[in-house]
Amino acid sequence: IEFDGESFDDGTIVRYLWTSSLDGELHNGSVAAFTFSQLTLGEHTIGLSVLDDRGRWSTETTKILLIHGAPTAAIINISPASATTTSTVRFTGSGSDDGEIVTYVWTSSHDGELYNGTASEFDGSGLSYGSHTISLKVQDDHGAWSLTVTSILIVREHDGEDNGKDEKFP
């Protein structure tokens, strides 16, 4: 996060003191602008006070800053784990966040996007033959995306019989 302050004085500003209600002192230096990347998740009251060349501190000015974390995705289950090209496959995932999960996106390395919506599980069918890397990512209500998680799904060609055999798998 980039912080930049501005102050006015009849003399010269010699020190800028930035604080956070959650993390304490963030910056104490001779320049107004700095960056900080380790803020704790939550609601911060960010304060800025300046010191002039006569040793007088300003009244602190504050702003509220809300820091949200990125969501986390998990693949709970893909059933059946070994399907046929005619099978219906249930994909079950989850997402956790400091807010709400609003989007689940499932993709296949063979078939592209399988699902993009608000449900944590869905049924898919018509998957192509082969070994699929199935990916899931989730988005939270602040627009942040999770890292992508993956699992393998084997899709065999259906032999046309109801004898439980599958054929032609590489």
Side-chain angles (χ1 to χ4, degrees):
I1 297 175
E2 186 174 315
F3 294 87
D4 193 3
E6 186 174 46
S7 61
F8 302 97
D9 189 66
D10 57 357
T12 303
I13 302 300
V14 296
R15 176 112 1 241
Y16 296 84
L17 176 61
W18 292 85
T19 59
S20 159
S21 59
L22 298 180
D23 293 326
E25 186 175 295
L26 302 177
H27 175 76
N28 187 349
S30 60
V31 295
F34 72 102
T35 58
F36 198 87
S37 61
Q38 302 288 327
L39 288 173
T40 302
L41 297 180
E43 184 177 290
H44 295 253
T45 300
I46 301 296
L48 171 62
S49 299
V50 297
L51 177 68
D52 70 13
D53 56 353
R54 290 183 292 235
R56 293 184 301 198
W57 283 98
S58 70
T59 302
E60 181 181 58
T61 185
T62 62
K63 293 271 185 183
I64 300 297
L65 175 64
L66 191 55
I67 302 295
H68 294 282
T72 303
I75 295 174
I76 304 301
N77 193 31
I78 299 174
S79 179
S82 181
T84 68
T85 54
T86 59
S87 296
T88 296
V89 178
R90 169 140 305 209
F91 297 85
T92 305
S94 70
S96 60
D97 188 53
D98 57 352
E100 293 182 36
I101 301 300
V102 297
T103 306
Y104 294 81
V105 178
W106 292 85
T107 58
S108 159
S109 57
H110 282 277
D111 297 327
E113 188 172 277
L114 302 174
Y115 177 80
N116 185 335
T118 60
S120 62
E121 65 182 17
F122 77 101
D123 292 331
S125 60
L127 294 169
S128 63
Y129 164 76
S131 176
H132 295 245
T133 300
I134 301 297
S135 301
L136 170 65
K137 66 180 180 177
V138 298
Q139 184 181 39
D140 70 13
D141 55 344
H142 296 101
W145 286 96
S146 70
L147 296 176
T148 300
V149 293
T150 62
S151 186
I152 300 298
L153 172 65
I154 306 299
V155 178
R156 301 178 186 278
E157 287 188 15
H158 191 274
D159 67 4
E161 303 283 329
D162 286 333
N163 60 12
K165 293 182 182 176
D166 299 322
E167 57 187 47
K168 298 182 185 175
F169 188 75

